[in-house]
Amino acid sequence: MLLQMLPPADTAMLLIDHQDGTMSWVSSIDQQVMKANAIALARAAKALDMPLVLTSSLEDHAQGPFAKEFEEFVPDEFAARIKRTGVVNAWDDPAFAAAVAATGRRILIIAGVTNDVCTVYPTLSALALGYTVHVVADAGGSTNKIADDAALRQMELAGAVITSTNMILTGLAGNWNSPAGQAVLPAVASLIPN
């Protein structure tokens, strides 16, 4: 499947396990870049009034709390995040699966903090259920580059569109002079180096 402009009205955003402890395990991408990308995705979803589903796993263990920056930009979604109790594939958690289904959207943007664990399994589950999935590779990472490459390849072979944060943001904007384009601009600007 080729990259295409994304209609916000038909799309939902899923951000999986962007937790302080889990983020510290990633070495295939700069951790601050990864976190900034995930936050920019959340900001764009909020600005475009898109469904945004957040989930975490074992926040009281080594994975740690969900990154507090999300509370600043998407407080309602942060408060409503689905706190899993250890299930690896977020899709196997009934509350997460129900939250995704409740969006009514068939196009999903998925970013998990670890592409080789948090992202790959729910992506494969969503694809098996007929969803169109865009995986945001640089809003997650893995413990090493080989693991990251293997996960991204597996998801692409299964039918996911592998993309980046800027490609998603511009794909949602469509036209900088449109209402969607203007709404997404602050998220894009947050990623421009000073």
Side-chain angles (χ1 to χ4, degrees), residues 18 26 28-41 110-113 115 119 135-142 148 152 162-169 191:
H18 288 88
V26 170
S28 64
I29 184 174
D30 179 277
Q31 293 170 8
Q32 292 307 311
V33 169
M34 173 185 69
K35 183 188 219 179
N37 288 339
I39 293 166
L41 292 172
I110 299 180
V113 69
N115 289 326
T119 311
V135 171
V136 190
D138 64 350
S142 299
D148 209 55
L152 296 174
I162 307 301
T163 187
S164 71
T165 301
N166 274 333
M167 284 192 280
I168 287 293
L169 295 178
L191 299 177

PDB file of all heavy atoms in Angstrom, residues 18 26 28-41 110-113 115 119 135-142 148 152 162-169 191:
ATOM      1  N   HIS A  18       3.918   4.746  25.810  1.00  0.00           N
ATOM      2  CA  HIS A  18       4.953   5.787  25.880  1.00  0.00           C
ATOM      3  C   HIS A  18       5.165   6.162  27.359  1.00  0.00           C
ATOM      4  O   HIS A  18       4.723   7.203  27.834  1.00  0.00           O
ATOM      5  CB  HIS A  18       4.571   6.984  25.004  1.00  0.00           C
ATOM      6  CG  HIS A  18       4.685   6.678  23.555  1.00  0.00           C
ATOM      7  ND1 HIS A  18       3.654   6.129  22.821  1.00  0.00           N
ATOM      8  CD2 HIS A  18       5.733   6.793  22.702  1.00  0.00           C
ATOM      9  CE1 HIS A  18       4.056   5.935  21.570  1.00  0.00           C
ATOM     10  NE2 HIS A  18       5.305   6.336  21.471  1.00  0.00           N
ATOM     11  N   VAL A  26      14.904   2.125  24.817  1.00  0.00           N
ATOM     12  CA  VAL A  26      15.056   2.275  23.364  1.00  0.00           C
ATOM     13  C   VAL A  26      16.432   2.848  23.032  1.00  0.00           C
ATOM     14  O   VAL A  26      16.856   3.841  23.625  1.00  0.00           O
ATOM     15  CB  VAL A  26      13.949   3.193  22.810  1.00  0.00           C
ATOM     16  CG1 VAL A  26      14.219   3.566  21.359  1.00  0.00           C
ATOM     17  CG2 VAL A  26      12.587   2.517  22.954  1.00  0.00           C
ATOM     18  N   SER A  28      17.530   2.451  19.385  1.00  0.00           N
ATOM     19  CA  SER A  28      17.598   2.530  17.923  1.00  0.00           C
ATOM     20  C   SER A  28      17.287   3.935  17.399  1.00  0.00           C
ATOM     21  O   SER A  28      17.491   4.209  16.225  1.00  0.00           O
ATOM     22  CB  SER A  28      16.640   1.511  17.294  1.00  0.00           C
ATOM     23  OG  SER A  28      15.300   1.833  17.626  1.00  0.00           O
ATOM     24  N   ILE A  29      16.795   4.821  18.263  1.00  0.00           N
ATOM     25  CA  ILE A  29      16.480   6.208  17.906  1.00  0.00           C
ATOM     26  C   ILE A  29      16.737   7.039  19.154  1.00  0.00           C
ATOM     27  O   ILE A  29      16.632   6.530  20.284  1.00  0.00           O
ATOM     28  CB  ILE A  29      15.002   6.342  17.433  1.00  0.00           C
ATOM     29  CG1 ILE A  29      14.685   7.760  16.971  1.00  0.00           C
ATOM     30  CG2 ILE A  29      14.040   5.878  18.496  1.00  0.00           C
ATOM     31  CD1 ILE A  29      13.287   7.930  16.351  1.00  0.00           C
ATOM     32  N   ASP A  30      17.056   8.303  18.966  1.00  0.00           N
ATOM     33  CA  ASP A  30      17.223   9.202  20.099  1.00  0.00           C
ATOM     34  C   ASP A  30      15.911   9.254  20.886  1.00  0.00           C
ATOM     35  O   ASP A  30      14.847   9.507  20.321  1.00  0.00           O
ATOM     36  CB  ASP A  30      17.603  10.599  19.589  1.00  0.00           C
ATOM     37  CG  ASP A  30      17.768  11.594  20.708  1.00  0.00           C
ATOM     38  OD1 ASP A  30      16.747  12.150  21.175  1.00  0.00           O
ATOM     39  OD2 ASP A  30      18.914  11.813  21.133  1.00  0.00           O
ATOM     40  N   GLN A  31      15.995   9.009  22.184  1.00  0.00           N
ATOM     41  CA  GLN A  31      14.784   8.911  22.998  1.00  0.00           C
ATOM     42  C   GLN A  31      13.987  10.210  23.037  1.00  0.00           C
ATOM     43  O   GLN A  31      12.754  10.190  23.051  1.00  0.00           O
ATOM     44  CB  GLN A  31      15.146   8.461  24.417  1.00  0.00           C
ATOM     45  CG  GLN A  31      15.678   7.047  24.462  1.00  0.00           C
ATOM     46  CD  GLN A  31      16.254   6.676  25.818  1.00  0.00           C
ATOM     47  OE1 GLN A  31      16.139   7.409  26.783  1.00  0.00           O
ATOM     48  NE2 GLN A  31      16.879   5.510  25.876  1.00  0.00           N
ATOM     49  N   GLN A  32      14.665  11.342  23.051  1.00  0.00           N
ATOM     50  CA  GLN A  32      13.955  12.627  23.097  1.00  0.00           C
ATOM     51  C   GLN A  32      13.244  12.903  21.773  1.00  0.00           C
ATOM     52  O   GLN A  32      12.144  13.464  21.758  1.00  0.00           O
ATOM     53  CB  GLN A  32      14.916  13.757  23.456  1.00  0.00           C
ATOM     54  CG  GLN A  32      15.433  13.668  24.890  1.00  0.00           C
ATOM     55  CD  GLN A  32      14.308  13.558  25.917  1.00  0.00           C
ATOM     56  OE1 GLN A  32      13.346  14.316  25.905  1.00  0.00           O
ATOM     57  NE2 GLN A  32      14.416  12.585  26.820  1.00  0.00           N
ATOM     58  N   VAL A  33      13.864  12.515  20.663  1.00  0.00           N
ATOM     59  CA  VAL A  33      13.225  12.664  19.350  1.00  0.00           C
ATOM     60  C   VAL A  33      11.975  11.795  19.284  1.00  0.00           C
ATOM     61  O   VAL A  33      10.907  12.235  18.855  1.00  0.00           O
ATOM     62  CB  VAL A  33      14.214  12.303  18.218  1.00  0.00           C
ATOM     63  CG1 VAL A  33      13.503  12.185  16.873  1.00  0.00           C
ATOM     64  CG2 VAL A  33      15.340  13.335  18.145  1.00  0.00           C
ATOM     65  N   MET A  34      12.105  10.557  19.732  1.00  0.00           N
ATOM     66  CA  MET A  34      10.975   9.627  19.737  1.00  0.00           C
ATOM     67  C   MET A  34       9.813  10.190  20.562  1.00  0.00           C
ATOM     68  O   MET A  34       8.662  10.205  20.116  1.00  0.00           O
ATOM     69  CB  MET A  34      11.425   8.285  20.300  1.00  0.00           C
ATOM     70  CG  MET A  34      10.317   7.277  20.516  1.00  0.00           C
ATOM     71  SD  MET A  34      10.916   5.769  21.326  1.00  0.00           S
ATOM     72  CE  MET A  34      11.308   6.393  22.963  1.00  0.00           C
ATOM     73  N   LYS A  35      10.119  10.681  21.750  1.00  0.00           N
ATOM     74  CA  LYS A  35       9.089  11.222  22.633  1.00  0.00           C
ATOM     75  C   LYS A  35       8.438  12.456  22.015  1.00  0.00           C
ATOM     76  O   LYS A  35       7.208  12.585  22.016  1.00  0.00           O
ATOM     77  CB  LYS A  35       9.711  11.573  23.981  1.00  0.00           C
ATOM     78  CG  LYS A  35       8.736  12.071  25.026  1.00  0.00           C
ATOM     79  CD  LYS A  35       9.526  12.571  26.227  1.00  0.00           C
ATOM     80  CE  LYS A  35       8.896  12.220  27.529  1.00  0.00           C
ATOM     81  NZ  LYS A  35       9.700  12.689  28.675  1.00  0.00           N
ATOM     82  N   ALA A  36       9.246  13.354  21.467  1.00  0.00           N
ATOM     83  CA  ALA A  36       8.694  14.557  20.828  1.00  0.00           C
ATOM     84  C   ALA A  36       7.780  14.191  19.670  1.00  0.00           C
ATOM     85  O   ALA A  36       6.729  14.827  19.469  1.00  0.00           O
ATOM     86  CB  ALA A  36       9.835  15.461  20.351  1.00  0.00           C
ATOM     87  N   ASN A  37       8.151  13.159  18.905  1.00  0.00           N
ATOM     88  CA  ASN A  37       7.313  12.724  17.782  1.00  0.00           C
ATOM     89  C   ASN A  37       5.972  12.194  18.279  1.00  0.00           C
ATOM     90  O   ASN A  37       4.916  12.508  17.721  1.00  0.00           O
ATOM     91  CB  ASN A  37       8.040  11.665  16.956  1.00  0.00           C
ATOM     92  CG  ASN A  37       9.173  12.246  16.143  1.00  0.00           C
ATOM     93  OD1 ASN A  37       9.226  13.431  15.868  1.00  0.00           O
ATOM     94  ND2 ASN A  37      10.108  11.395  15.753  1.00  0.00           N
ATOM     95  N   ALA A  38       6.007  11.382  19.328  1.00  0.00           N
ATOM     96  CA  ALA A  38       4.762  10.824  19.868  1.00  0.00           C
ATOM     97  C   ALA A  38       3.856  11.933  20.398  1.00  0.00           C
ATOM     98  O   ALA A  38       2.639  11.923  20.195  1.00  0.00           O
ATOM     99  CB  ALA A  38       5.067   9.806  20.958  1.00  0.00           C
ATOM    100  N   ILE A  39       4.434  12.914  21.070  1.00  0.00           N
ATOM    101  CA  ILE A  39       3.647  14.029  21.590  1.00  0.00           C
ATOM    102  C   ILE A  39       3.057  14.847  20.441  1.00  0.00           C
ATOM    103  O   ILE A  39       1.897  15.268  20.495  1.00  0.00           O
ATOM    104  CB  ILE A  39       4.509  14.897  22.536  1.00  0.00           C
ATOM    105  CG1 ILE A  39       4.849  14.097  23.798  1.00  0.00           C
ATOM    106  CG2 ILE A  39       3.789  16.196  22.893  1.00  0.00           C
ATOM    107  CD1 ILE A  39       5.957  14.695  24.639  1.00  0.00           C
ATOM    108  N   ALA A  40       3.843  15.060  19.384  1.00  0.00           N
ATOM    109  CA  ALA A  40       3.336  15.794  18.220  1.00  0.00           C
ATOM    110  C   ALA A  40       2.148  15.068  17.587  1.00  0.00           C
ATOM    111  O   ALA A  40       1.174  15.702  17.163  1.00  0.00           O
ATOM    112  CB  ALA A  40       4.444  16.000  17.195  1.00  0.00           C
ATOM    113  N   LEU A  41       2.210  13.747  17.533  1.00  0.00           N
ATOM    114  CA  LEU A  41       1.084  12.975  16.999  1.00  0.00           C
ATOM    115  C   LEU A  41      -0.167  13.181  17.855  1.00  0.00           C
ATOM    116  O   LEU A  41      -1.273  13.377  17.336  1.00  0.00           O
ATOM    117  CB  LEU A  41       1.442  11.489  16.932  1.00  0.00           C
ATOM    118  CG  LEU A  41       2.502  11.087  15.921  1.00  0.00           C
ATOM    119  CD1 LEU A  41       2.892   9.628  16.118  1.00  0.00           C
ATOM    120  CD2 LEU A  41       2.032  11.329  14.492  1.00  0.00           C
ATOM    121  N   ILE A 110      -0.790   4.034  14.179  1.00  0.00           N
ATOM    122  CA  ILE A 110      -0.299   3.359  15.384  1.00  0.00           C
ATOM    123  C   ILE A 110       1.157   3.729  15.630  1.00  0.00           C
ATOM    124  O   ILE A 110       1.990   3.639  14.725  1.00  0.00           O
ATOM    125  CB  ILE A 110      -0.430   1.828  15.275  1.00  0.00           C
ATOM    126  CG1 ILE A 110      -1.896   1.416  15.101  1.00  0.00           C
ATOM    127  CG2 ILE A 110       0.178   1.147  16.506  1.00  0.00           C
ATOM    128  CD1 ILE A 110      -2.116  -0.093  14.996  1.00  0.00           C
ATOM    129  N   ALA A 111       1.451   4.128  16.858  1.00  0.00           N
ATOM    130  CA  ALA A 111       2.827   4.312  17.307  1.00  0.00           C
ATOM    131  C   ALA A 111       2.941   3.701  18.697  1.00  0.00           C
ATOM    132  O   ALA A 111       2.184   4.067  19.603  1.00  0.00           O
ATOM    133  CB  ALA A 111       3.211   5.783  17.336  1.00  0.00           C
ATOM    134  N   GLY A 112       3.851   2.768  18.833  1.00  0.00           N
ATOM    135  CA  GLY A 112       4.141   2.175  20.126  1.00  0.00           C
ATOM    136  C   GLY A 112       5.567   2.517  20.503  1.00  0.00           C
ATOM    137  O   GLY A 112       6.419   2.708  19.633  1.00  0.00           O
ATOM    138  N   VAL A 113       5.820   2.576  21.792  1.00  0.00           N
ATOM    139  CA  VAL A 113       7.156   3.004  22.225  1.00  0.00           C
ATOM    140  C   VAL A 113       8.244   2.035  21.766  1.00  0.00           C
ATOM    141  O   VAL A 113       9.348   2.455  21.427  1.00  0.00           O
ATOM    142  CB  VAL A 113       7.201   3.248  23.748  1.00  0.00           C
ATOM    143  CG1 VAL A 113       7.079   1.948  24.522  1.00  0.00           C
ATOM    144  CG2 VAL A 113       8.458   4.002  24.136  1.00  0.00           C
ATOM    145  N   ASN A 115       8.857  -0.640  18.817  1.00  0.00           N
ATOM    146  CA  ASN A 115       8.304  -1.194  17.583  1.00  0.00           C
ATOM    147  C   ASN A 115       8.317  -2.719  17.583  1.00  0.00           C
ATOM    148  O   ASN A 115       7.434  -3.351  17.009  1.00  0.00           O
ATOM    149  CB  ASN A 115       9.063  -0.656  16.373  1.00  0.00           C
ATOM    150  CG  ASN A 115       8.769   0.805  16.133  1.00  0.00           C
ATOM    151  OD1 ASN A 115       7.662   1.275  16.363  1.00  0.00           O
ATOM    152  ND2 ASN A 115       9.770   1.539  15.673  1.00  0.00           N
ATOM    153  N   THR A 119       4.402  -2.162  19.290  1.00  0.00           N
ATOM    154  CA  THR A 119       3.756  -1.797  18.027  1.00  0.00           C
ATOM    155  C   THR A 119       3.395  -3.012  17.192  1.00  0.00           C
ATOM    156  O   THR A 119       2.307  -3.069  16.612  1.00  0.00           O
ATOM    157  CB  THR A 119       4.683  -0.878  17.199  1.00  0.00           C
ATOM    158  OG1 THR A 119       5.159   0.181  18.026  1.00  0.00           O
ATOM    159  CG2 THR A 119       3.953  -0.290  16.009  1.00  0.00           C
ATOM    160  N   VAL A 135       1.945   2.764  10.455  1.00  0.00           N
ATOM    161  CA  VAL A 135       2.838   2.648  11.602  1.00  0.00           C
ATOM    162  C   VAL A 135       3.847   3.793  11.551  1.00  0.00           C
ATOM    163  O   VAL A 135       4.582   3.936  10.575  1.00  0.00           O
ATOM    164  CB  VAL A 135       3.572   1.293  11.601  1.00  0.00           C
ATOM    165  CG1 VAL A 135       4.664   1.264  12.673  1.00  0.00           C
ATOM    166  CG2 VAL A 135       2.584   0.157  11.822  1.00  0.00           C
ATOM    167  N   VAL A 136       3.893   4.571  12.611  1.00  0.00           N
ATOM    168  CA  VAL A 136       4.802   5.716  12.677  1.00  0.00           C
ATOM    169  C   VAL A 136       6.115   5.241  13.298  1.00  0.00           C
ATOM    170  O   VAL A 136       6.269   5.180  14.515  1.00  0.00           O
ATOM    171  CB  VAL A 136       4.189   6.879  13.471  1.00  0.00           C
ATOM    172  CG1 VAL A 136       5.041   8.124  13.301  1.00  0.00           C
ATOM    173  CG2 VAL A 136       2.759   7.148  13.018  1.00  0.00           C
ATOM    174  N   ALA A 137       7.064   4.916  12.431  1.00  0.00           N
ATOM    175  CA  ALA A 137       8.300   4.262  12.858  1.00  0.00           C
ATOM    176  C   ALA A 137       9.140   5.112  13.796  1.00  0.00           C
ATOM    177  O   ALA A 137       9.795   4.573  14.701  1.00  0.00           O
ATOM    178  CB  ALA A 137       9.126   3.865  11.637  1.00  0.00           C
ATOM    179  N   ASP A 138       9.132   6.435  13.619  1.00  0.00           N
ATOM    180  CA  ASP A 138      10.016   7.274  14.435  1.00  0.00           C
ATOM    181  C   ASP A 138       9.337   7.857  15.676  1.00  0.00           C
ATOM    182  O   ASP A 138       9.889   8.712  16.349  1.00  0.00           O
ATOM    183  CB  ASP A 138      10.649   8.386  13.593  1.00  0.00           C
ATOM    184  CG  ASP A 138       9.637   9.378  13.027  1.00  0.00           C
ATOM    185  OD1 ASP A 138       8.414   9.125  13.125  1.00  0.00           O
ATOM    186  OD2 ASP A 138      10.076  10.405  12.481  1.00  0.00           O
ATOM    187  N   ALA A 139       8.141   7.353  16.011  1.00  0.00           N
ATOM    188  CA  ALA A 139       7.521   7.673  17.294  1.00  0.00           C
ATOM    189  C   ALA A 139       7.649   6.476  18.223  1.00  0.00           C
ATOM    190  O   ALA A 139       6.969   6.363  19.233  1.00  0.00           O
ATOM    191  CB  ALA A 139       6.064   8.066  17.114  1.00  0.00           C
ATOM    192  N   GLY A 140       8.533   5.571  17.853  1.00  0.00           N
ATOM    193  CA  GLY A 140       8.880   4.398  18.634  1.00  0.00           C
ATOM    194  C   GLY A 140      10.289   3.988  18.248  1.00  0.00           C
ATOM    195  O   GLY A 140      10.927   4.631  17.414  1.00  0.00           O
ATOM    196  N   GLY A 141      10.744   2.926  18.835  1.00  0.00           N
ATOM    197  CA  GLY A 141      12.073   2.401  18.534  1.00  0.00           C
ATOM    198  C   GLY A 141      12.174   1.002  19.086  1.00  0.00           C
ATOM    199  O   GLY A 141      11.158   0.383  19.402  1.00  0.00           O
ATOM    200  N   SER A 142      13.376   0.510  19.216  1.00  0.00           N
ATOM    201  CA  SER A 142      13.600  -0.822  19.779  1.00  0.00           C
ATOM    202  C   SER A 142      14.913  -0.796  20.549  1.00  0.00           C
ATOM    203  O   SER A 142      15.644   0.197  20.521  1.00  0.00           O
ATOM    204  CB  SER A 142      13.647  -1.886  18.672  1.00  0.00           C
ATOM    205  OG  SER A 142      12.409  -1.929  17.962  1.00  0.00           O
ATOM    206  N   ASP A 148      14.591  -3.344  15.512  1.00  0.00           N
ATOM    207  CA  ASP A 148      13.681  -2.366  14.934  1.00  0.00           C
ATOM    208  C   ASP A 148      13.421  -2.672  13.462  1.00  0.00           C
ATOM    209  O   ASP A 148      12.279  -2.675  13.012  1.00  0.00           O
ATOM    210  CB  ASP A 148      14.264  -0.960  15.099  1.00  0.00           C
ATOM    211  CG  ASP A 148      13.187   0.103  15.186  1.00  0.00           C
ATOM    212  OD1 ASP A 148      12.304  -0.012  16.056  1.00  0.00           O
ATOM    213  OD2 ASP A 148      13.223   1.041  14.376  1.00  0.00           O
ATOM    214  N   LEU A 152       9.754  -3.595  11.778  1.00  0.00           N
ATOM    215  CA  LEU A 152       9.176  -2.776  10.702  1.00  0.00           C
ATOM    216  C   LEU A 152       8.968  -3.601   9.442  1.00  0.00           C
ATOM    217  O   LEU A 152       7.947  -3.468   8.758  1.00  0.00           O
ATOM    218  CB  LEU A 152      10.067  -1.567  10.422  1.00  0.00           C
ATOM    219  CG  LEU A 152      10.184  -0.573  11.590  1.00  0.00           C
ATOM    220  CD1 LEU A 152      11.214   0.505  11.264  1.00  0.00           C
ATOM    221  CD2 LEU A 152       8.837   0.045  11.933  1.00  0.00           C
ATOM    222  N   ILE A 162       4.493   1.795   6.491  1.00  0.00           N
ATOM    223  CA  ILE A 162       5.515   2.268   7.421  1.00  0.00           C
ATOM    224  C   ILE A 162       5.819   3.718   7.059  1.00  0.00           C
ATOM    225  O   ILE A 162       6.152   4.025   5.916  1.00  0.00           O
ATOM    226  CB  ILE A 162       6.793   1.402   7.350  1.00  0.00           C
ATOM    227  CG1 ILE A 162       6.453  -0.083   7.537  1.00  0.00           C
ATOM    228  CG2 ILE A 162       7.813   1.884   8.378  1.00  0.00           C
ATOM    229  CD1 ILE A 162       5.762  -0.428   8.842  1.00  0.00           C
ATOM    230  N   THR A 163       5.705   4.598   8.027  1.00  0.00           N
ATOM    231  CA  THR A 163       5.793   6.020   7.759  1.00  0.00           C
ATOM    232  C   THR A 163       6.529   6.726   8.889  1.00  0.00           C
ATOM    233  O   THR A 163       7.051   6.084   9.802  1.00  0.00           O
ATOM    234  CB  THR A 163       4.361   6.577   7.528  1.00  0.00           C
ATOM    235  OG1 THR A 163       4.442   7.920   7.111  1.00  0.00           O
ATOM    236  CG2 THR A 163       3.504   6.444   8.765  1.00  0.00           C
ATOM    237  N   SER A 164       6.571   8.043   8.817  1.00  0.00           N
ATOM    238  CA  SER A 164       7.246   8.840   9.839  1.00  0.00           C
ATOM    239  C   SER A 164       6.276   9.893  10.375  1.00  0.00           C
ATOM    240  O   SER A 164       5.219  10.144   9.796  1.00  0.00           O
ATOM    241  CB  SER A 164       8.478   9.534   9.248  1.00  0.00           C
ATOM    242  OG  SER A 164       8.074  10.570   8.368  1.00  0.00           O
ATOM    243  N   THR A 165       6.675  10.528  11.454  1.00  0.00           N
ATOM    244  CA  THR A 165       5.824  11.539  12.065  1.00  0.00           C
ATOM    245  C   THR A 165       5.502  12.667  11.088  1.00  0.00           C
ATOM    246  O   THR A 165       4.334  13.041  10.929  1.00  0.00           O
ATOM    247  CB  THR A 165       6.493  12.099  13.333  1.00  0.00           C
ATOM    248  OG1 THR A 165       6.709  11.009  14.250  1.00  0.00           O
ATOM    249  CG2 THR A 165       5.633  13.152  13.996  1.00  0.00           C
ATOM    250  N   ASN A 166       6.523  13.201  10.424  1.00  0.00           N
ATOM    251  CA  ASN A 166       6.262  14.302   9.496  1.00  0.00           C
ATOM    252  C   ASN A 166       5.380  13.873   8.332  1.00  0.00           C
ATOM    253  O   ASN A 166       4.550  14.665   7.867  1.00  0.00           O
ATOM    254  CB  ASN A 166       7.574  14.917   8.992  1.00  0.00           C
ATOM    255  CG  ASN A 166       8.092  15.976   9.947  1.00  0.00           C
ATOM    256  OD1 ASN A 166       7.328  16.605  10.662  1.00  0.00           O
ATOM    257  ND2 ASN A 166       9.393  16.161   9.965  1.00  0.00           N
ATOM    258  N   MET A 167       5.541  12.659   7.848  1.00  0.00           N
ATOM    259  CA  MET A 167       4.669  12.200   6.761  1.00  0.00           C
ATOM    260  C   MET A 167       3.228  12.104   7.241  1.00  0.00           C
ATOM    261  O   MET A 167       2.296  12.458   6.511  1.00  0.00           O
ATOM    262  CB  MET A 167       5.156  10.864   6.207  1.00  0.00           C
ATOM    263  CG  MET A 167       6.380  10.991   5.319  1.00  0.00           C
ATOM    264  SD  MET A 167       6.738   9.475   4.394  1.00  0.00           S
ATOM    265  CE  MET A 167       7.569   8.511   5.648  1.00  0.00           C
ATOM    266  N   ILE A 168       3.011  11.644   8.468  1.00  0.00           N
ATOM    267  CA  ILE A 168       1.658  11.564   9.018  1.00  0.00           C
ATOM    268  C   ILE A 168       1.072  12.957   9.198  1.00  0.00           C
ATOM    269  O   ILE A 168      -0.066  13.238   8.804  1.00  0.00           O
ATOM    270  CB  ILE A 168       1.650  10.785  10.350  1.00  0.00           C
ATOM    271  CG1 ILE A 168       1.862   9.295  10.100  1.00  0.00           C
ATOM    272  CG2 ILE A 168       0.352  11.036  11.134  1.00  0.00           C
ATOM    273  CD1 ILE A 168       0.738   8.604   9.356  1.00  0.00           C
ATOM    274  N   LEU A 169       1.851  13.864   9.789  1.00  0.00           N
ATOM    275  CA  LEU A 169       1.335  15.210  10.043  1.00  0.00           C
ATOM    276  C   LEU A 169       0.973  15.923   8.743  1.00  0.00           C
ATOM    277  O   LEU A 169      -0.086  16.547   8.648  1.00  0.00           O
ATOM    278  CB  LEU A 169       2.354  16.026  10.843  1.00  0.00           C
ATOM    279  CG  LEU A 169       2.644  15.511  12.258  1.00  0.00           C
ATOM    280  CD1 LEU A 169       3.712  16.375  12.917  1.00  0.00           C
ATOM    281  CD2 LEU A 169       1.396  15.435  13.114  1.00  0.00           C
ATOM    282  N   LEU A 191       8.394  20.276  16.189  1.00  0.00           N
ATOM    283  CA  LEU A 191       9.467  19.348  15.806  1.00  0.00           C
ATOM    284  C   LEU A 191      10.600  20.026  15.033  1.00  0.00           C
ATOM    285  O   LEU A 191      11.596  19.387  14.735  1.00  0.00           O
ATOM    286  CB  LEU A 191       8.883  18.215  14.942  1.00  0.00           C
ATOM    287  CG  LEU A 191       7.811  17.368  15.624  1.00  0.00           C
ATOM    288  CD1 LEU A 191       7.268  16.344  14.634  1.00  0.00           C
ATOM    289  CD2 LEU A 191       8.345  16.694  16.878  1.00  0.00           C
TER     290      LEU A 191
END
